[in-house]
Amino acid sequence: MDTDTVRSAAGTEAADLRRQQHGWYFYDWACSVYSTSVVTVFLGPYLTSVAEAAADAEGFVHPLGIPVRAGSFFAYAISLSVVLAVLVMPLVGAAADRTGRKKPLLAAAAYTGAAATAGMFFLDGERYLLGGLLLVVANAAQSVAMMLYNAYLPQIAPPEERDAVSSRGWAFGYAAGALVLVLNLVLYTGHESFGVSEGTAVRICLASAGLWWGAFALIPLRRLRDRRAPVREAGKGALPGFRQLAATLRDMRRHPLTLAFLLAYLVYNDGIQTVISQASVYGSKELGLGQSTLIVAVLLVQVLAVAGALALGRLARRYGAKRTILGSLVAWTVTLGAGYFLPAGAPVWFFVLAAGIGLVLGGSQALSRSLFSHLVPPGKEAEYFSAYEISDRGMSWLGPLLFGLTYQLTGSYRDAIISLVGFFVLGFLLLARVPVRRAIADAGNPVPERI
């Protein structure tokens, strides 16, 4: 083959990768609106109000005959959705690896989640059970879809480009979340001029997130390509997904320091995820803030999360990722402590709290992911990150459960929010004990000058 032909083939392959990367970015653009508008802003307060409308005189609803305080119902539904996702993800992941056909599975998960989210338009009156069911389905489907979406990264980007490609996808998601929140704010604050009630405006915002998700998911589904799976030995039983996860966890026992970091991350990240999902309930029910205030606060978080990630990235280059993450956990603890004392009906102080969350949110998660990548043995990146995703989801039910139980036992959202401090304190202590330089060397990777 002559030189011109080789160059032409290489150029064609590079152009194809760029096309796939651009399509990949748009899945984050599509689904991040669900996380921002539905989970973070609208559904928590709205589903709680629907549950309260259906509650008995003592403030309890009774799904399947189980007494549940109405204010805890949303948190319990989040926990249940995570349990469902953890049960489904290994099976879907194994099917994707075995067949090499990730795209049909991604489409199924994405459109299941989008349809459930669009169905939230019908959540009115006392239909709290419908709301809980749709939340469980949508949240679990989103988790499964994100696992498949992340699995495309090694396929569409060479190692030297993955950080940049991953960051662009993350930025696309935050940009979409901010854009749609602005549109939501216009509809919600001006609902009377649009001729709809406040509740109808919320339901339109919820359903529109599902329509957005489904519409923009078409772009990655058209551009991404599946690769033929390698031939595997047949007859390995009925649950290859769980067997593979168990094999990976057994292999991690050969790298106990990697496992120690993963444990620390799972603890403090559970606290982060719970704050994200429950902050709007706290602002609405405990502080008496309106939906417009909550939307503006989340917009502030969206914008400052990008700035915070860049700032913490610069700090990491100077002080190392581990020290910077530890500093961010101190900031999380201080922020939640301050949140406990916020006065009711004071939007300005809630905005200050949102600014604090935004400044540490993106950086603590981005640096955790990059630090973990140094602790993965060469050649096992996909295997370890698959377990990382499943383990992450597997722990993230505990925070919402603790939040819900604390409120159920005390009747105070202030007690519920301060209970989450324990995740950051324990995560700090566990991470501080991990000798990351030795962990990187033990994994067989070169140790950066600053880490």
Side-chain angles (χ1 to χ4, degrees):
M1 186 179 295
D2 59 49
T3 304
D4 290 341
T5 302
V6 171
R7 288 177 177 172
S8 176
T12 300
E13 182 179 356
D16 181 62
L17 279 180
R18 293 287 179 268
R19 176 179 170 80
Q20 291 191 68
Q21 289 171 8
H22 294 158
W24 188 80
Y25 300 150
F26 268 97
Y27 188 74
D28 222 326
W29 175 274
C31 74
S32 291
V33 170
Y34 165 80
S35 299
T36 304
S37 290
V38 177
V39 177
T40 306
V41 178
F42 286 107
L43 188 58
Y46 186 71
L47 181 55
T48 301
S49 68
V50 172
E52 288 172 345
D56 59 22
E58 296 180 350
F60 286 83
V61 290
H62 300 269
L64 303 178
I66 303 171
V68 173
R69 191 180 289 272
S72 298
F73 183 74
F74 174 70
Y76 289 157
I78 290 285
S79 292
L80 181 59
S81 72
V82 173
V83 173
L84 177 61
V86 169
L87 293 175
V88 173
M89 276 195 288
L91 302 178
V92 175
D97 288 339
R98 191 170 59 250
T99 64
R101 291 174 58 79
K102 292 190 289 290
K103 192 156 65 171
L105 294 170
L106 175 61
Y111 282 103
T112 297
T117 305
M120 291 176 186
F121 179 79
F122 301 101
L123 175 58
D124 60 357
E126 299 180 359
R127 297 177 178 176
Y128 75 96
L129 279 177
L130 173 63
L133 175 63
L134 293 174
L135 171 58
V136 168
V137 172
N139 221 40
Q142 196 246 14
S143 297
V144 173
M146 284 302 297
M147 179 195 67
L148 295 165
Y149 163 75
N150 290 333
Y152 273 101
L153 181 58
Q155 178 179 318
I156 64 171
E160 67 275 9
E161 291 185 13
R162 285 178 196 165
D163 287 344
V165 171
S166 178
S167 297
R168 291 187 197 112
W170 180 78
F172 261 58
Y174 272 98
L179 172 62
V180 174
L181 270 182
V182 170
L183 299 176
N184 291 158
L185 183 61
V186 171
L187 174 62
Y188 182 81
T189 57
H191 63 85
E192 292 182 353
S193 62
F194 288 102
V196 297
S197 67
E198 180 178 328
T200 301
V202 171
R203 292 189 290 117
I204 291 172
C205 291
L206 293 172
S208 65
L211 297 177
W212 179 284
W213 186 356
F216 284 103
L218 290 171
I219 298 175
L221 291 174
R222 285 180 61 88
R223 294 194 174 189
L224 291 172
R225 295 186 180 182
D226 283 331
R227 292 180 177 176
R228 181 175 299 175
V231 177
R232 299 176 182 267
E233 185 178 350
K236 287 296 183 179
L239 294 175
F242 291 107
R243 265 201 311 278
Q244 180 60 57
L245 176 60
T248 302
L249 293 177
R250 284 196 300 270
D251 186 72
M252 281 185 173
R253 293 171 61 185
R254 298 172 51 240
H255 304 281
L257 297 180
T258 300
L259 202 55
F261 170 81
L262 184 60
L263 175 61
Y265 169 73
L266 295 182
V267 171
Y268 66 74
N269 186 60
D270 194 8
I272 293 173
Q273 297 302 321
T274 307
V275 172
I276 293 171
S277 65
Q278 303 301 322
S280 61
V281 176
Y282 180 69
S284 172
K285 299 301 178 181
E286 184 67 37
L287 303 181
L289 302 176
Q291 196 72 60
S292 300
T293 299
L294 298 178
I295 295 173
V296 173
V298 173
L299 272 172
L300 187 62
V301 170
Q302 295 287 108
V303 174
L304 290 180
V306 177
L310 296 175
L312 290 185
R314 285 193 291 270
L315 288 174
R317 286 196 293 271
R318 182 171 182 179
Y319 299 106
K322 178 184 174 180
R323 289 181 180 178
T324 307
I325 295 170
L326 289 172
S328 76
L329 297 181
V330 172
W332 273 107
T333 302
V334 171
T335 301
L336 282 185
Y340 178 84
F341 295 102
L342 284 186
V348 173
W349 288 111
F350 191 71
F351 292 149
V352 172
L353 180 71
I357 291 174
L359 288 173
V360 293
L361 172 61
S364 53
Q365 292 181 309
L367 290 177
S368 298
R369 181 172 61 181
S370 63
L371 182 54
F372 182 72
S373 70
H374 291 287
L375 308 179
V376 176
K380 296 187 176 182
E381 291 83 4
E383 180 181 335
Y384 270 59
F385 270 104
S386 175
Y388 175 88
E389 179 75 15
I390 292 171
S391 301
D392 181 3
R393 300 295 180 181
M395 277 290 291
S396 60
W397 57 272
L398 186 57
L401 180 62
L402 177 63
F403 186 94
L405 283 174
T406 303
Y407 178 77
Q408 175 140 346
L409 294 174
T410 67
S412 169
Y413 283 108
R414 292 186 187 272
D415 291 339
I417 203 74
I418 202 65
S419 70
L420 303 179
V421 165
F423 288 96
F424 298 103
V425 173
L426 181 58
F428 180 98
L429 295 175
L430 291 173
L431 178 58
R433 292 173 56 87
V434 179
V436 293
R437 301 186 73 86
R438 182 151 60 91
I440 294 169
D442 289 351
N445 293 316
V447 182
E449 181 179 351
R450 292 193 182 276
I451 193 65

